[in-house]
Amino acid sequence: MYPNPNTFFDEVTRIVVRLPDDVSPNPGATRFVAIAEEKLGDVCCPPILLDDALPDAFMSGYELVDRLCMGRAQRVVDGAIRVAGSVVTPEGYLRLWRMARDEAVELRALERGYAISLTFSLQGKLAMIQAAAAGRLGGNEVYREFFRIFQDCIDVDASGWVSIESGDLNREGAAQLVYAMAEMLPRRALAAVRLKARHLANPRHLHGVEPLAFVEKV
Amino acid sequence: MSYRIEYAWKAFVEELPVKVKPRRYVVCTLGGDNNTLHGNDSQPTRCWEVGMLGDESAVIKRAVFIGRTCESGELKPYGRAMSPEGYIRIIRRALAAAVPVSDDAYWYPAVSVSPDSPLVGMAMRMALTVTPYREYGQDRVRVEFDGASRLTVFDFASAFPELQAWCLAKASIRNAH
Protein backbone atom coordinates (compact mmCIF):
# COMPACT_ATOMS: atom_id res chain seq x y z
CA MET A 1 0.00 0.00 0.00
CA TYR A 2 1.40 3.37 -0.98
CA PRO A 3 0.97 6.38 1.30
CA ASN A 4 -1.40 9.22 0.48
CA PRO A 5 0.55 11.67 -1.72
CA ASN A 6 -1.22 14.63 -0.11
CA THR A 7 0.40 13.97 3.22
CA PHE A 8 3.57 15.72 4.29
CA PHE A 9 7.07 14.59 5.15
CA ASP A 10 7.69 14.96 8.85
CA GLU A 11 11.36 15.58 9.51
CA VAL A 12 12.28 14.06 12.84
CA THR A 13 16.07 14.25 12.92
CA ARG A 14 18.79 16.33 11.35
CA ILE A 15 22.26 14.82 11.53
CA VAL A 16 25.39 16.58 10.37
CA VAL A 17 28.50 14.43 10.23
CA ARG A 18 31.84 16.19 10.57
CA LEU A 19 34.48 14.58 8.39
CA PRO A 20 38.13 14.41 9.38
CA ASP A 21 40.00 17.69 8.83
CA ASP A 22 42.29 16.21 6.20
CA VAL A 23 39.45 15.19 3.83
CA SER A 24 39.77 18.27 1.68
CA PRO A 25 43.15 19.55 0.47
CA ASN A 26 42.01 23.09 1.38
CA PRO A 27 43.25 23.86 4.87
CA GLY A 28 40.64 25.02 7.36
CA ALA A 29 37.67 23.89 5.25
CA THR A 30 35.85 21.38 7.43
CA ARG A 31 33.61 19.15 5.37
CA PHE A 32 30.22 17.81 6.42
CA VAL A 33 27.70 15.23 5.31
CA ALA A 34 24.08 16.11 6.05
CA ILE A 35 21.40 13.49 6.68
CA ALA A 36 17.71 14.01 7.38
CA GLU A 37 15.42 11.40 8.84
CA GLU A 38 11.73 11.76 8.16
CA LYS A 39 8.41 10.02 8.41
CA LEU A 40 5.65 9.90 5.84
CA GLY A 41 2.45 9.38 7.74
CA ASP A 42 3.09 6.45 10.04
CA VAL A 43 6.05 5.02 8.19
CA CYS A 44 9.70 5.99 8.45
CA CYS A 45 11.71 6.70 5.31
CA PRO A 46 15.29 5.68 4.65
CA PRO A 47 17.78 8.35 5.74
CA ILE A 48 18.01 11.15 3.19
CA LEU A 49 21.32 12.62 2.17
CA LEU A 50 21.13 16.30 1.25
CA ASP A 51 23.52 15.48 -1.56
CA ASP A 52 24.81 12.06 -2.51
CA ALA A 53 27.08 12.73 -5.50
CA LEU A 54 30.70 12.99 -4.46
CA PRO A 55 32.75 15.15 -4.16
CA ASP A 56 29.88 17.65 -3.70
CA ALA A 57 28.30 15.53 -0.98
CA PHE A 58 31.22 16.39 1.30
CA MET A 59 30.01 19.95 1.87
CA SER A 60 31.64 22.91 3.51
CA GLY A 61 29.57 24.82 6.06
CA TYR A 62 28.13 27.36 3.65
CA GLU A 63 27.44 24.75 0.99
CA LEU A 64 25.22 22.96 3.49
CA VAL A 65 23.03 26.06 3.85
CA ASP A 66 23.16 26.54 0.07
CA ARG A 67 21.81 23.01 -0.55
CA LEU A 68 19.05 23.54 2.00
CA CYS A 69 17.96 26.80 0.37
CA MET A 70 17.90 25.15 -3.05
CA GLY A 71 15.65 22.34 -1.91
CA ARG A 72 14.26 21.44 1.46
CA ALA A 73 13.95 24.94 2.92
CA GLN A 74 11.71 25.91 -0.02
CA ARG A 75 9.49 22.90 0.55
CA VAL A 76 9.06 23.99 4.15
CA VAL A 77 7.30 27.17 2.97
CA ASP A 78 4.06 25.46 1.94
CA GLY A 79 4.31 22.70 4.52
CA ALA A 80 5.43 19.87 2.21
CA ILE A 81 8.13 19.24 4.82
CA ARG A 82 7.27 19.81 8.46
CA VAL A 83 9.34 19.49 11.58
CA ALA A 84 8.00 17.19 14.28
CA GLY A 85 4.55 17.63 12.77
CA SER A 86 4.59 21.44 12.83
CA VAL A 87 4.80 23.89 9.96
CA VAL A 88 7.94 25.99 10.41
CA THR A 89 9.26 29.06 8.63
CA PRO A 90 12.30 28.63 6.37
CA GLU A 91 14.22 30.88 8.76
CA GLY A 92 13.44 28.55 11.67
CA TYR A 93 14.24 25.53 9.56
CA LEU A 94 17.66 26.87 8.61
CA ARG A 95 18.32 27.66 12.26
CA LEU A 96 17.61 24.03 13.19
CA TRP A 97 20.14 22.86 10.62
CA ARG A 98 22.70 25.40 11.83
CA MET A 99 22.26 23.99 15.33
CA ALA A 100 22.78 20.49 13.94
CA ARG A 101 25.93 21.69 12.19
CA ASP A 102 27.22 23.20 15.43
CA GLU A 103 26.66 19.85 17.14
CA ALA A 104 28.04 17.79 14.27
CA VAL A 105 28.90 14.18 15.09
CA GLU A 106 32.00 12.26 14.10
CA LEU A 107 31.75 9.68 11.35
CA ARG A 108 32.44 6.86 13.80
CA ALA A 109 29.64 8.01 16.12
CA LEU A 110 27.00 7.85 13.39
CA GLU A 111 26.40 4.11 13.59
CA ARG A 112 26.52 4.04 17.37
CA GLY A 113 24.34 7.08 17.99
CA TYR A 114 21.84 6.95 15.14
CA ALA A 115 22.05 3.37 13.77
CA ILE A 116 22.84 4.77 10.32
CA SER A 117 25.48 3.31 8.09
CA LEU A 118 27.21 5.73 5.70
CA THR A 119 29.00 4.05 2.83
CA PHE A 120 30.00 4.92 -0.71
CA SER A 121 29.66 3.24 -4.06
CA LEU A 122 31.86 3.55 -7.11
CA GLN A 123 30.90 2.58 -10.64
CA GLY A 124 32.98 3.16 -13.73
CA LYS A 125 35.28 2.00 -16.46
CA LEU A 126 38.70 1.09 -15.09
CA ALA A 127 40.44 2.62 -18.12
CA MET A 128 38.58 5.90 -17.55
CA ILE A 129 39.53 6.00 -13.90
CA GLN A 130 43.15 5.27 -14.73
CA ALA A 131 43.18 8.00 -17.38
CA ALA A 132 41.69 10.49 -14.92
CA ALA A 133 44.33 9.56 -12.33
CA ALA A 134 47.17 9.86 -14.83
CA GLY A 135 46.01 13.33 -15.83
CA ARG A 136 46.12 14.74 -12.31
CA LEU A 137 49.17 15.68 -10.23
CA GLY A 138 49.44 13.00 -7.55
CA GLY A 139 46.54 11.13 -9.13
CA ASN A 140 48.41 7.87 -9.55
CA GLU A 141 49.23 7.78 -5.84
CA VAL A 142 45.56 8.34 -4.98
CA TYR A 143 44.55 5.62 -7.43
CA ARG A 144 47.04 3.09 -6.03
CA GLU A 145 46.22 3.83 -2.40
CA PHE A 146 42.47 3.73 -3.08
CA PHE A 147 42.67 0.32 -4.75
CA ARG A 148 44.97 -0.95 -1.99
CA ILE A 149 42.63 0.05 0.83
CA PHE A 150 39.44 -1.16 -0.84
CA GLN A 151 40.87 -4.19 -2.68
CA ASP A 152 38.63 -6.55 -0.70
CA CYS A 153 35.39 -4.93 -1.92
CA ILE A 154 36.32 -3.99 -5.50
CA ASP A 155 34.66 -5.99 -8.23
CA VAL A 156 36.11 -5.80 -11.77
CA ASP A 157 34.33 -7.69 -14.55
CA ALA A 158 35.72 -8.94 -17.86
CA SER A 159 34.77 -5.74 -19.71
CA GLY A 160 36.81 -3.62 -17.30
CA TRP A 161 33.85 -2.26 -15.36
CA VAL A 162 34.77 -1.49 -11.75
CA SER A 163 32.21 -1.44 -9.00
CA ILE A 164 32.25 -0.99 -5.27
CA GLU A 165 28.78 -1.51 -3.86
CA SER A 166 29.33 -0.57 -0.26
CA GLY A 167 32.70 0.89 0.66
CA ASP A 168 33.38 1.59 4.33
CA LEU A 169 34.22 5.23 5.06
CA ASN A 170 35.43 4.39 8.56
CA ARG A 171 38.65 2.81 7.35
CA GLU A 172 41.81 4.74 8.06
CA GLY A 173 42.12 7.59 5.54
CA ALA A 174 39.10 6.34 3.56
CA ALA A 175 37.12 9.60 3.51
CA GLN A 176 40.13 11.54 2.22
CA LEU A 177 40.82 8.98 -0.51
CA VAL A 178 37.19 8.77 -1.60
CA TYR A 179 37.04 12.57 -1.83
CA ALA A 180 40.27 12.72 -3.81
CA MET A 181 39.12 9.95 -6.13
CA ALA A 182 35.73 11.57 -6.74
CA GLU A 183 37.33 14.95 -7.38
CA MET A 184 39.64 13.42 -9.95
CA LEU A 185 36.85 11.97 -12.08
CA PRO A 186 35.53 14.40 -14.67
CA ARG A 187 31.92 15.51 -14.30
CA ARG A 188 29.40 13.61 -16.41
CA ALA A 189 32.03 10.96 -17.08
CA LEU A 190 31.28 7.27 -17.23
CA ALA A 191 32.33 6.90 -13.62
CA ALA A 192 30.83 8.18 -10.42
CA VAL A 193 31.25 7.96 -6.68
CA ARG A 194 28.09 8.25 -4.59
CA LEU A 195 27.28 8.22 -0.92
CA LYS A 196 24.69 5.86 0.51
CA ALA A 197 23.00 5.98 3.89
CA ARG A 198 20.76 3.33 5.37
CA HIS A 199 19.35 2.35 8.72
CA LEU A 200 21.08 -0.54 10.38
CA ALA A 201 18.05 -1.18 12.55
CA ASN A 202 14.79 0.49 13.38
CA PRO A 203 16.26 3.45 15.23
CA ARG A 204 15.16 4.34 18.72
CA HIS A 205 13.66 7.72 17.89
CA LEU A 206 11.54 6.23 15.06
CA HIS A 207 10.73 3.12 17.02
CA GLY A 208 7.31 1.64 16.50
CA VAL A 209 6.89 2.87 12.94
CA GLU A 210 7.07 0.61 9.94
CA PRO A 211 10.27 1.03 7.86
CA LEU A 212 9.45 2.15 4.32
CA ALA A 213 11.77 1.03 1.58
CA PHE A 214 10.10 2.49 -1.52
CA VAL A 215 10.22 6.20 -0.68
CA GLU A 216 12.88 7.68 -2.91
CA LYS A 217 15.32 10.38 -1.92
CA VAL A 218 13.65 13.77 -2.40
CA MET B 1 35.42 39.50 -5.14
CA SER B 2 32.47 40.50 -7.26
CA TYR B 3 29.08 40.49 -5.58
CA ARG B 4 25.63 42.00 -5.92
CA ILE B 5 24.47 44.71 -3.58
CA GLU B 6 20.78 45.30 -2.94
CA TYR B 7 19.85 48.68 -1.52
CA ALA B 8 16.06 48.74 -1.35
CA TRP B 9 13.02 46.54 -1.86
CA LYS B 10 9.51 47.43 -2.86
CA ALA B 11 6.51 45.13 -3.19
CA PHE B 12 3.37 45.73 -5.21
CA VAL B 13 0.14 43.90 -4.46
CA GLU B 14 -2.48 42.90 -7.01
CA GLU B 15 -5.89 41.32 -6.42
CA LEU B 16 -6.84 38.54 -8.81
CA PRO B 17 -10.52 37.86 -9.51
CA VAL B 18 -10.39 34.48 -7.74
CA LYS B 19 -11.85 33.40 -4.42
CA VAL B 20 -8.90 31.42 -3.05
CA LYS B 21 -5.70 33.33 -2.28
CA PRO B 22 -6.45 36.27 -4.59
CA ARG B 23 -3.39 38.33 -3.60
CA ARG B 24 -0.38 38.33 -5.86
CA TYR B 25 2.85 40.18 -5.22
CA VAL B 26 5.59 41.67 -7.34
CA VAL B 27 8.75 42.30 -5.34
CA CYS B 28 11.23 44.70 -6.92
CA THR B 29 14.82 45.16 -5.81
CA LEU B 30 17.12 48.11 -6.28
CA GLY B 31 20.54 46.62 -6.82
CA GLY B 32 23.67 46.27 -8.87
CA ASP B 33 27.13 44.77 -8.94
CA ASN B 34 29.77 46.12 -6.58
CA ASN B 35 32.37 46.48 -9.33
CA THR B 36 30.21 48.07 -12.02
CA LEU B 37 30.65 51.79 -11.55
CA HIS B 38 29.11 54.89 -13.10
CA GLY B 39 31.56 56.71 -15.34
CA ASN B 40 30.79 60.14 -13.92
CA ASP B 41 30.75 59.65 -10.15
CA SER B 42 32.33 56.17 -9.69
CA GLN B 43 29.37 55.02 -7.60
CA PRO B 44 28.21 51.42 -8.08
CA THR B 45 25.45 51.26 -10.68
CA ARG B 46 22.00 50.32 -9.53
CA CYS B 47 18.61 49.77 -11.09
CA TRP B 48 15.19 48.49 -10.13
CA GLU B 49 14.28 45.07 -11.36
CA VAL B 50 11.61 42.53 -10.54
CA GLY B 51 13.06 39.82 -8.30
CA MET B 52 10.03 37.80 -7.22
CA LEU B 53 6.55 37.32 -8.57
CA GLY B 54 3.54 35.31 -7.45
CA ASP B 55 1.52 34.54 -4.36
CA GLU B 56 3.06 34.88 -0.91
CA SER B 57 4.28 31.31 -0.84
CA ALA B 58 5.95 31.58 -4.27
CA VAL B 59 7.64 34.85 -3.29
CA ILE B 60 9.02 33.43 -0.04
CA LYS B 61 10.24 30.32 -1.88
CA ARG B 62 12.08 32.54 -4.34
CA ALA B 63 13.48 34.58 -1.43
CA VAL B 64 14.84 31.37 0.09
CA PHE B 65 16.41 30.47 -3.25
CA ILE B 66 17.99 33.90 -3.75
CA GLY B 67 18.91 34.08 -0.06
CA ARG B 68 21.31 31.17 -0.52
CA THR B 69 23.67 33.55 -2.31
CA CYS B 70 23.90 35.60 0.91
CA GLU B 71 25.53 32.64 2.66
CA SER B 72 28.33 32.48 0.11
CA GLY B 73 28.75 36.28 -0.06
CA GLU B 74 27.53 36.66 -3.65
CA LEU B 75 24.67 38.87 -2.47
CA LYS B 76 25.10 41.56 0.17
CA PRO B 77 21.94 43.42 1.14
CA TYR B 78 22.88 47.04 2.02
CA GLY B 79 26.46 46.06 1.07
CA ARG B 80 26.84 44.00 4.25
CA ALA B 81 27.24 40.29 4.90
CA MET B 82 23.88 38.81 5.83
CA SER B 83 22.45 35.35 6.41
CA PRO B 84 19.72 33.90 4.18
CA GLU B 85 17.40 34.17 7.17
CA GLY B 86 18.01 37.91 7.30
CA TYR B 87 17.28 38.25 3.60
CA ILE B 88 14.01 36.30 3.92
CA ARG B 89 12.99 38.64 6.75
CA ILE B 90 13.66 41.65 4.49
CA ILE B 91 11.34 40.19 1.86
CA ARG B 92 8.68 39.44 4.48
CA ARG B 93 8.83 43.09 5.60
CA ALA B 94 8.52 44.22 1.96
CA LEU B 95 5.44 41.99 1.53
CA ALA B 96 3.88 43.40 4.68
CA ALA B 97 4.36 46.91 3.25
CA ALA B 98 3.15 46.04 -0.26
CA VAL B 99 1.26 48.82 -2.07
CA PRO B 100 -0.82 49.02 -5.26
CA VAL B 101 0.80 50.47 -8.35
CA SER B 102 0.82 54.26 -8.75
CA ASP B 103 1.96 56.74 -11.40
CA ASP B 104 5.37 57.06 -9.76
CA ALA B 105 5.96 53.40 -9.00
CA TYR B 106 4.60 50.56 -11.05
CA TRP B 107 5.45 47.22 -12.62
CA TYR B 108 4.48 45.93 -16.04
CA PRO B 109 4.67 42.52 -17.71
CA ALA B 110 7.59 42.14 -20.11
CA VAL B 111 7.84 38.53 -21.21
CA SER B 112 10.62 37.66 -23.60
CA VAL B 113 11.57 34.03 -24.19
CA SER B 114 13.18 31.80 -26.78
CA PRO B 115 10.77 30.75 -29.61
CA ASP B 116 10.89 27.07 -28.57
CA SER B 117 9.81 27.79 -25.01
CA PRO B 118 6.52 26.10 -24.03
CA LEU B 119 5.48 29.50 -22.71
CA VAL B 120 4.88 30.62 -26.32
CA GLY B 121 2.26 27.90 -26.84
CA MET B 122 0.58 28.80 -23.57
CA ALA B 123 0.47 32.48 -24.57
CA MET B 124 -1.12 31.61 -27.92
CA ARG B 125 -3.72 29.41 -26.22
CA MET B 126 -4.54 32.40 -24.01
CA ALA B 127 -5.09 34.49 -27.20
CA LEU B 128 -2.16 36.79 -26.40
CA THR B 129 -0.17 38.29 -29.24
CA VAL B 130 3.35 36.96 -29.65
CA THR B 131 5.89 38.98 -31.62
CA PRO B 132 9.13 37.44 -32.87
CA TYR B 133 12.23 39.66 -32.85
CA ARG B 134 16.01 39.34 -32.77
CA GLU B 135 18.20 40.39 -29.86
CA TYR B 136 22.00 40.09 -29.80
CA GLY B 137 21.76 37.74 -32.82
CA GLN B 138 19.29 35.42 -31.08
CA ASP B 139 15.68 34.74 -32.06
CA ARG B 140 13.31 35.79 -29.30
CA VAL B 141 9.58 36.06 -28.83
CA ARG B 142 7.88 38.87 -26.97
CA VAL B 143 4.42 38.37 -25.48
CA GLU B 144 2.24 41.46 -25.75
CA PHE B 145 -0.15 42.33 -22.91
CA ASP B 146 -2.84 44.94 -22.60
CA GLY B 147 -4.40 46.43 -19.49
CA ALA B 148 -6.95 43.64 -19.17
CA SER B 149 -4.51 40.79 -19.67
CA ARG B 150 -1.51 42.06 -17.67
CA LEU B 151 -2.34 39.94 -14.62
CA THR B 152 -2.07 36.74 -16.69
CA VAL B 153 1.68 37.07 -16.20
CA PHE B 154 1.08 35.46 -12.80
CA ASP B 155 -0.21 32.37 -14.64
CA PHE B 156 3.09 32.22 -16.50
CA ALA B 157 5.00 32.62 -13.23
CA SER B 158 3.19 29.70 -11.62
CA ALA B 159 3.33 27.52 -14.75
CA PHE B 160 7.06 28.13 -15.27
CA PRO B 161 8.61 28.52 -11.81
CA GLU B 162 12.08 28.00 -13.27
CA LEU B 163 11.81 31.32 -15.17
CA GLN B 164 13.42 34.20 -13.34
CA ALA B 165 11.02 36.99 -12.44
CA TRP B 166 13.02 39.56 -14.40
CA CYS B 167 12.23 37.55 -17.56
CA LEU B 168 8.54 38.14 -16.92
CA ALA B 169 8.17 41.69 -15.68
CA LYS B 170 9.93 45.02 -15.30
CA ALA B 171 9.52 47.88 -12.87
CA SER B 172 9.68 51.64 -13.01
CA ILE B 173 10.05 53.30 -9.65
CA ARG B 174 10.82 56.99 -9.32
CA ASN B 175 10.43 57.30 -5.61
CA ALA B 176 11.11 54.24 -3.46
CA HIS B 177 9.33 55.53 -0.37
Side-chain angles (χ1 to χ4, degrees), chain A residues 61-63 65-70 73-75 77-78 89-92 94-95 98 101, chain B residues 56-58 60-62 64-69 71-72 74 83-86 88-89 92:
Chain A
Y62 85 84
E63 285 171 335
V65 177
D66 186 279
R67 296 291 198 295
L68 287 165
C69 289
M70 283 175 76
Q74 288 187 52
R75 297 176 58 212
V77 174
D78 46 18
T89 61
E91 299 97 301
L94 291 173
R95 191 164 56 84
R98 286 186 197 277
R101 190 183 66 187
Chain B
E56 186 176 355
S57 159
I60 296 297
K61 277 185 182 181
R62 181 55 71 172
V64 174
F65 182 79
I66 296 175
R68 64 190 256 275
T69 53
E71 188 73 11
S72 54
E74 295 162 72
S83 65
E85 294 94 313
I88 299 165
R89 277 192 287 271
R92 282 193 198 282

Side-chain angles (χ1 to χ4, degrees), chain B residues 109 128 144-152:
Chain B
L128 296 171
E144 311 284 353
F145 295 86
D146 56 24
S149 65
R150 62 189 270 276
L151 295 185
T152 56

Side-chain angles (χ1 to χ4, degrees), chain A residues 62-122:
Chain A
Y62 85 84
E63 285 171 335
L64 168 58
V65 177
D66 186 279
R67 296 291 198 295
L68 287 165
C69 289
M70 283 175 76
R72 296 179 71 83
Q74 288 187 52
R75 297 176 58 212
V76 159
V77 174
D78 46 18
I81 292 178
R82 299 185 189 181
V83 176
S86 306
V87 177
V88 293
T89 61
E91 299 97 301
Y93 185 71
L94 291 173
R95 191 164 56 84
L96 290 171
W97 272 100
R98 286 186 197 277
M99 285 161 61
R101 190 183 66 187
D102 294 342
E103 296 161 6
V105 297
E106 300 294 329
L107 192 53
R108 289 182 191 284
L110 188 61
E111 285 189 17
R112 207 172 47 246
Y114 295 93
I116 290 175
S117 136
L118 187 64
T119 57
F120 74 93
S121 68
L122 181 146

